Every structure is written in structure tokens, then in C-alpha cells.
Amino acid sequence: MNRTASIKDVANQASVAVGTVSNVLNYPDRVSQRTKDRVLRAIDELGFVRNDAARQLRAGHSRTIGLIVLDVGNPFFTSVVRAAEDAAALQGSAVLLGDSGHDAGREANYIDLFQEQRVQGLLISPVGDVSERLDLLRERGVPTVLVDRQADESKFSSVAVDDDAGGYLAARHLLDTGRRRLAFVGGPTSIRQVADRLQGARRAVDEESGATLEVLGSEGQTVLAGRSVGNMLVERGLDGLPEGIFCANDLLALGVMQSLTMTHTVRIPEDVALIGYDDIDFAVSAVVPLSSVRQPTEALGRTAIELLVEEVDSQNATHRAVVFTPELVVRQSTAGPA
Amino acid sequence: MNRTASIKDVANQASVAVGTVSNVLNYPDRVSQRTKDRVLRAIDELGFVRNDAARQLRAGHSRTIGLIVLDVGNPFFTSVVRAAEDAAALQGSAVLLGDSGHDAGREANYIDLFQEQRVQGLLISPVGDVSERLDLLRERGVPTVLVDRQADESKFSSVAVDDDAGGYLAARHLLDTGRRRLAFVGGPTSIRQVADRLQGARRAVDEESGATLEVLGSEGQTVLAGRSVGNMLVERGLDGLPEGIFCANDLLALGVMQSLTMTHTVRIPEDVALIGYDDIDFAVSAVVPLSSVRQPTEALGRTAIELLVEEVDSQNATHRAVVFTPELVVRQSTAGPA
DNA sequence: TCGTAACAATGAAACGATTCAAAGATTGCG
DNA sequence: CGCAATCTTTGAATCGTTTCATTGTTACGA
């Protein structure tokens, strides 16, 4: 088992200096065609592959950006990740992905790991409050951008989506299509996104005289949680139902939809209008195509990278907080009453 | 902006030799308590973080394993990835993830990238045929394990699931519950998994006198593709329907289910039994809980890592091909006829 | 033919951690 | 007190690349 060839082996094989091989690799224009050919042939013969560790060591930093998300299973984050990867690739960096799973310990592990890797910077969707862990990063001078979380601009740059506005959009749409008695499904409200979306919805309802908003707590934002809320609603009978239901995310909405349609007594949207949040792929292909609120995930991921690059390039410590506005996607589940 | 502290800075601060600092980090027992305290304090004061690039350079290899999958969006792979990460973590390695998206070019990029990173080995679910790209890896001596693909044991180790057996299981179950006229939904058959599952199903049908198998091609394995197949079936009317439908994956099955149930004329499982493949999370929470064939994804991921570690440790070139058997998961969608 | 500019190639130094032979300190025992 | 055995600490060498000041070559106009 012969160890992998180094740049020195290539230099020997091609009878040139190591610096020349390096130039062939990094500044081909500086090298004459003749030598270049010889070197390239040697590289081929020896199956030489650059050692990235040595490059990094010399360069003092990697060509890597760390990204820590709360849950890779969540389509919202999957989409942000994809966009960030593409944006990073465009400017020659790769993304290292970490999944904290809402766990502060795992988050801390990834922060340490990424620091050892000397990432150029960090994108992070932090667990809980923006804490001392992050302040430490600031002190260390690790450029950091918060994702899906607004931050004090004096401390960090951030990209986020206005969940209050999203909640308002959803409720406003239900009101605009003539529904008055509304319900919000989601919980626990200790999750910021849930709280903000509810707050926005409440704002819209308060604007409209005669409109009411009932809050139906759920245990998490899953299809099953939605189903149990839906079953509870079915038991009320047709008269007890709200006219419009806004769910804190699409999974909940799909669950509610299943419960309601399974009985074949409640019709969507004729009896009840239903709207979700996130516009996941399954929303289009639900039994009744689901209206939703789309978050500009691609823009989020791309902008996060851009802000990070800004921080890396300019040393001055001015940060920017970018807030995106979500977008209403109307489908059959909230079509006007027949 | 003061650059990050190195082990030398720590040594100065603590008035010891660099070797001592290294020992504190790697062999704490070799160092006296007094010095250890001093060094640790210095590390803390300077905010020292190990430079992984330098470690790797010295060590000659990383503590990283490369994993290239065909599609991270696919729950099957997500699950394999998770299991592999856990197994790798247990023995002190991290997993670098690459998504080829069924594209040979991207696959090649990741292979190169991972070689530059000097990964300990590679787990790969290869695009198309096991090709010269992989032979090159063998020549270079990069330990490699194929995932979800059986391979010539003289060349590679591999872990796979027996898709033929899975197809057999599904069809056998439909037959066992009294269905005779069966249909297979999936395509194109150029995808090995699809072809194997179909072949297994055919085998079961051939065993049973009087049973028939109709093949309904689909364009891909998505919910929408399933919906269009479903719509086509609905148009045939109740009498024209098969008694049991086996879909090449759960997404297809969910699409078919939606088309059939939307009309409220076809009942599942009374009129038609429906079974999918993969047992994704959505299968449980479908309108009618979906029977499926579960693949032992955790075992796949874990075993892949184990085989890789075997290859890394023992230099001898004996490979192993492990094939797992899938498992039937019966739910309401194939309950016995009323 | 000479001088000089432009171009090519050279190779030692540096990056930061780990290793290991060797030196130094400490302990216990006769 | 002297010696050996054990425990600590030292620091130079090493990994593979990139950088850059320096040297060597070539080409061209005067």
C-alpha cells in the first residue's frame, strides 16, 4: 500500500521544483506550456490529489462555511440549506451542515467543531435565546449571521421572515373571503414562530369588526397533532365549526384536513376554509389543494450567505438585519364560499 | 483583529513547551496536575481552539467519512444518513454529506472533493452503473462501501436491501388477503429499484394460479405521478379496477389514494387494497393509513459504516456484500375485505 | 552584440499540530 | 548519600501546501 503522492513526488517525476507544480495548480498562466504538460502528465501518472488540510493550514482558513439549523427534517430548513449551498458554491465555498435538533448541547458541539475546522463564518438558527454562546463567537471574531431570527443589529447580522406579517396575511385572506369566525391552530406559544403568527392573525381580526378568533392549542406542529385537533372539531358538529381555520404550519393543516374530510360531512372550502403555513410540497398535492403562506426560503439562504461574505470581506463591524415578507398562496382550500 | 491563538501562544502564556500543551490535549495522564492547570488556564485566557487542518496534516488522514447519496430529499436516504452519522460518531468520526441528485457530474465533484479532504473512506450510492469512477477509487486505495446497491464482492463491499423480496412480500400480502387481480404502479423500469420490486411482485403472482398482474407505468415516483395514474383508474369505473394495487413507493401510493378517495365512490380497502413501499412518515397519517414495505434504513446506515471500518482497519482486500430483507407493515389500506 | 525587460522556474520559509528521543526531575530503596 | 527507576518536560523534525524573493532564460530593439 503506497501512500498517496504529494506535490513533491509530482515535482520529482516531472523534474521541476515544487513551487512550479503549485503554480500549475493555482496560476497556470505563470507556467510555460511545455512544463505545464510535463507536470500534468506526472499528476496523472501518480494519481496526485491535492491535500486540502495542507492548503488550509497555509491559508489560515478553510473554504468552508458552517450552517447550523434546528431541524433538517423540516422542509423549510431543507430549502434554506439548498439555497445557501448554491450561493456558497457560486463564490467558491462549501457548506458544512449541522443539525442541532433544538438541542443546545448539540448546537455547542457543532460550534466547537466548526471552529476547529476554521470555517470562514457561521450561519446559525439558534436554539432558544441568543445567548452567551453566540457572544463568545463575536469575541472570537467569527463572522456570524443569524438565520430565521431577528437580532440586535449592534451585535449580529440576521435574516428573518416576518411571521407577524405572515399571520396577518393568512387571517386577512380568510376575512377577505367572507369568513368571520376564525380559529388558530398551533402551539405551544413558547415557540416564537407560533406566537408571532398568532399575533399577526389577531391583529387582522381586531381590525375587522364582528370577527372573532378562537385559539386551539396543539401539541407540536405535526400531522398527528393536527388530526387530533380536527377530530375534536368534528365532534362539535357542523354548527360549532369556525368558518375559517389558520394553522401554524402545513403539517397541522393537513392533519386537520384529513379529520374533517374523512367523515364526508364537512366540505372544504364550502363549510370551512383552511390555510396553512410554509407551502411545503405536500400542500399542492393534498386531497384539497391547500392554501398557504410561502416563506422566501431561497432568498433567505442566499441573503444569509451574502451578508456573511460582507462581514468576512469588510472588517468593520456594521451589521444588517434583513427581514423578508412572506407571500400568500391561494389554492382551493380557501376558495370563496359557493 | 488578532488572529486566533496557536498552540505556541498557549505554550508561551503558560511557560511550557509546545509538546507539553499537546500532551495536555491528547494524553492528559502524562502531565502533572500543576502544569495541566496552568496550561488549561492559558487555553482559556487566549480562547485557544485546535486547528484541525494542522492535526490532519500531521496525522495523514481526517476523522471524516464521505457519504454520497442520490437524493437527500428522499426520506429513505435521510434515514440512512442519520443512522450512518450516529454510527460514525460512536467511533469518533464525522460524516461529510454530498447529494449527487442522480447526476454523475455532481457525484464526480464530490468524489474529488472528498479525496482532497482525505476522508478515511467513502460510502456511496452510485449514479447509474458501477463505473470506472469507482474503479479509480479502488486503485487509489480509498476504502469504499456501496450503499443500496449490490456489488461484485471481489471489488467492493456493499449493503443493500433485497427489492425483489420486498416486491414479493407486497404482492404476496395482497394475494393472501384474497385479492387476485393485481396492478403494479411505477416507472420507468430503467430504475433498478422499480424493476426489482416489479420482478418480485411478478414472482408472487406467478405462484398463485388465477392471479394476474397489470403494470401501470408512471412518470417518476411522486405524489403527482400517482394522482394521474389514479385518475386514469377512476375513469375505468368500479368494475374496471384491480382488486389490489402495489405502488413502487409511498408517494405514488398516496397520490393514487387521493385520486380514488376524492370521488367518494371507491372505498379503500373494501373496493381496492393499496400498498406502498418505504414506509415514510406520511404513510401512517394518510387519509387511510397506508400499508407499506419498510426497509431497515437504520441497519443499512450502521452496517455500511461497520463494513467501512472493517476495510480501513484490515488492509487485506476481502469484501463483504450484506443484503437486508425488507419487512411488511400492514395497516388499514389492505385490511381484509369486509 | 549588448542591455534590459518580460517571462519562467527555483527552493527555502511558513502555517500549527503531533511525535518521540532525550534530558531533567523526583522518588524510593539499600 | 548514591543509584536506579519512574515520572515530566523539552524541542526539533515532520506532514504537504503556498508564497515570494531570487535566479535563470528568452526575446527584442538599439
Side-chain angles (χ1 to χ4, degrees):
Chain A
M1 178 77 80
N2 42 0
R3 65 173 181 65
T4 46
S6 78
I7 209 175
K8 199 182 276 180
D9 300 322
V10 174
N12 281 343
Q13 176 94 349
S15 309
V16 296
V18 292
T20 304
V21 178
S22 176
N23 282 334
V24 170
L25 260 25
N26 301 294
Y27 308 93
D29 294 348
R30 292 189 190 163
V31 183
S32 75
Q33 193 59 49
R34 263 176 53 83
T35 10
K36 208 177 336 190
D37 289 344
R38 278 226 308 289
V39 171
L40 290 176
R41 174 139 41 86
I43 287 178
D44 204 46
E45 286 168 6
L46 298 174
F48 166 77
V49 178
R50 260 192 179 92
N51 184 325
D52 197 56
R55 299 187 78 186
Q56 281 190 205
L57 176 56
R58 181 67 236 249
H61 61 88
S62 66
R63 292 161 303 140
T64 309
I65 291 169
L67 170 52
I68 305 177
V69 299
L70 291 170
D71 176 14
V72 274
N74 186 324
F76 169 76
F77 284 115
T78 320
S79 174
V80 172
V81 168
R82 211 170 299 238
E85 279 177 342
D86 290 347
L90 273 184
Q91 52 106 47
S93 294
V95 169
L96 285 182
L97 183 61
D99 181 1
S100 69
H102 289 274
D103 181 283
R106 297 189 53 163
E107 177 181 276
N109 280 343
Y110 274 116
I111 291 179
D112 289 349
L113 181 64
F114 288 168
Q115 282 204 87
E116 290 193 4
Q117 308 269 6
R118 296 293 189 271
V119 294
Q120 297 172 291
L122 208 53
L123 306 185
I124 182 171
S125 190
V127 175
D129 282 334
V130 173
S131 63
E132 31 187 73
R133 274 167 291 127
L134 299 189
D135 282 331
L136 206 59
L137 284 177
R138 266 194 330 132
E139 284 171 26
R140 297 258 174 84
V142 179
T144 303
V145 173
L146 305 188
V147 176
D148 198 32
R149 168 80 100 250
Q150 292 185 47
D152 181 349
E153 279 189 53
S154 68
K155 292 186 154 192
F156 289 106
S157 282
S158 63
V159 291
V161 181
D162 189 338
D163 281 302
D164 176 282
Y168 182 87
L169 263 184
R172 186 73 256 164
H173 171 60
L174 292 175
L175 295 168
D176 285 348
T177 52
R179 280 89 183 184
R180 282 295 166 275
R181 283 179 296 111
L182 305 189
F184 173 86
V185 178
T189 48
S190 60
I191 298 180
R192 188 193 52 78
Q193 278 86 345
V194 174
D196 286 2
R197 290 168 196 178
L198 171 56
Q199 175 185 309
R202 176 115 52 199
R203 196 155 53 81
V205 170
D206 287 349
E207 279 177 14
E208 191 84 8
S209 69
T212 61
L213 181 68
E214 174 186 11
V215 176
L216 303 171
S218 72
E219 295 180 354
Q221 333 294 319
T222 64
V223 175
L224 286 179
R227 276 257 279 263
S228 65
V229 172
N231 288 334
M232 189 265 286
L233 284 171
V234 167
E235 285 176 16
R236 291 192 189 175
L238 255 184
D239 296 339
L241 289 181
E243 296 167 305
I245 303 178
F246 167 37
C247 296
N249 85 1
D250 285 347
L251 297 178
L252 274 174
L254 291 176
V256 170
M257 182 184 291
Q258 286 173 7
S259 295
L260 295 186
T261 55
M262 211 159 4
T263 64
H264 295 175
T265 58
V266 181
R267 293 164 305 161
I268 295 176
E270 292 82 354
D271 300 322
V272 182
L274 187 61
I275 185 168
Y277 206 107
D278 280 350
D279 192 29
I280 65 177
D281 286 345
F282 274 95
V284 210
S285 51
V287 183
V288 180
L290 181 69
S291 296
S292 193
V293 177
R294 176 185 303 154
Q295 312 206 58
T297 48
E298 315 76 26
L300 262 187
R302 183 164 22 85
T303 309
I305 294 285
E306 285 167 6
L307 288 184
L308 188 63
V309 171
E310 254 179 44
E311 299 234 348
V312 173
D313 289 350
S314 75
Q315 298 297 12
N316 62 44
T318 60
H319 303 298
R320 292 205 292 144
V322 177
V323 177
F324 287 97
T325 307
E327 181 191 352
L328 185 67
V329 180
V330 178
R331 297 203 181 86
Q332 198 188 329
S333 73
T334 58
Chain B
M1 177 77 79
N2 41 359
R3 65 175 181 64
T4 46
S6 79
I7 208 175
K8 198 182 279 180
D9 300 322
V10 174
N12 281 343
Q13 176 92 352
S15 311
V16 298
V18 291
T20 304
V21 178
S22 176
N23 281 334
V24 171
L25 262 23
N26 301 295
Y27 307 94
D29 294 348
R30 292 191 190 161
V31 183
S32 74
Q33 193 59 47
R34 263 175 52 82
T35 3
K36 209 176 339 191
D37 289 344
R38 278 226 308 288
V39 170
L40 289 176
R41 175 138 42 86
I43 286 177
D44 203 48
E45 286 168 4
L46 298 174
F48 166 77
V49 178
R50 259 194 181 89
N51 184 326
D52 197 55
R55 300 187 78 186
Q56 283 191 205
L57 176 55
R58 182 65 236 250
H61 61 88
S62 66
R63 292 161 302 141
T64 310
I65 290 169
L67 171 52
I68 304 178
V69 299
L70 291 170
D71 176 14
V72 273
N74 186 325
F76 169 76
F77 284 116
T78 320
S79 176
V80 172
V81 168
R82 212 171 298 239
E85 280 177 341
D86 290 347
L90 273 184
Q91 53 108 42
S93 294
V95 169
L96 285 181
L97 182 62
D99 180 3
S100 69
H102 289 273
D103 180 284
R106 298 189 52 164
E107 177 182 277
N109 279 342
Y110 274 116
I111 291 179
D112 288 349
L113 181 64
F114 289 167
Q115 281 205 88
E116 291 193 4
Q117 309 270 5
R118 296 292 189 272
V119 293
Q120 297 172 291
L122 208 54
L123 306 186
I124 182 170
S125 189
V127 175
D129 282 335
V130 174
S131 63
E132 29 186 74
R133 276 167 288 127
L134 299 189
D135 282 331
L136 205 60
L137 282 177
R138 265 194 329 133
E139 284 172 25
R140 296 258 175 83
V142 179
T144 302
V145 173
L146 304 188
V147 176
D148 197 31
R149 168 79 101 253
Q150 293 186 47
D152 179 350
E153 279 189 54
S154 69
K155 292 186 154 193
F156 290 105
S157 282
S158 62
V159 291
V161 181
D162 189 337
D163 280 302
D164 177 280
Y168 182 87
L169 263 184
R172 186 73 254 162
H173 171 61
L174 292 175
L175 295 167
D176 285 348
T177 53
R179 280 90 184 184
R180 281 295 167 274
R181 284 178 295 111
L182 306 189
F184 173 86
V185 179
T189 46
S190 61
I191 298 179
R192 186 193 52 77
Q193 277 86 347
V194 174
D196 286 2
R197 290 169 197 177
L198 170 56
Q199 176 186 308
R202 177 115 51 197
R203 195 155 52 83
V205 170
D206 287 348
E207 281 178 13
E208 192 82 10
S209 70
T212 62
L213 181 68
E214 174 185 12
V215 176
L216 303 170
S218 72
E219 295 181 355
Q221 333 294 321
T222 63
V223 175
L224 286 179
R227 275 257 279 266
S228 63
V229 172
N231 288 334
M232 189 265 286
L233 284 172
V234 168
E235 286 176 16
R236 290 192 188 175
L238 256 184
D239 295 338
L241 289 181
E243 297 167 307
I245 303 178
F246 166 38
C247 296
N249 84 1
D250 285 347
L251 297 177
L252 274 174
L254 291 177
V256 170
M257 181 184 291
Q258 285 173 8
S259 293
L260 296 185
T261 55
M262 212 160 4
T263 64
H264 295 175
T265 58
V266 181
R267 293 164 305 162
I268 296 175
E270 291 82 355
D271 301 320
V272 182
L274 188 61
I275 185 167
Y277 206 105
D278 281 350
D279 193 29
I280 66 178
D281 286 345
F282 275 94
V284 209
S285 51
V287 183
V288 180
L290 181 69
S291 295
S292 193
V293 177
R294 177 186 300 154
Q295 312 206 58
T297 50
E298 316 75 28
L300 262 187
R302 183 165 22 84
T303 310
I305 294 285
E306 285 167 6
L307 288 184
L308 188 63
V309 171
E310 251 180 45
E311 298 236 345
V312 173
D313 288 351
S314 75
Q315 298 297 12
N316 61 44
T318 61
H319 304 297
R320 291 205 292 144
V322 177
V323 178
F324 288 97
T325 306
E327 180 192 353
L328 185 68
V329 180
V330 178
R331 298 205 180 85
Q332 198 187 326
S333 72
T334 57

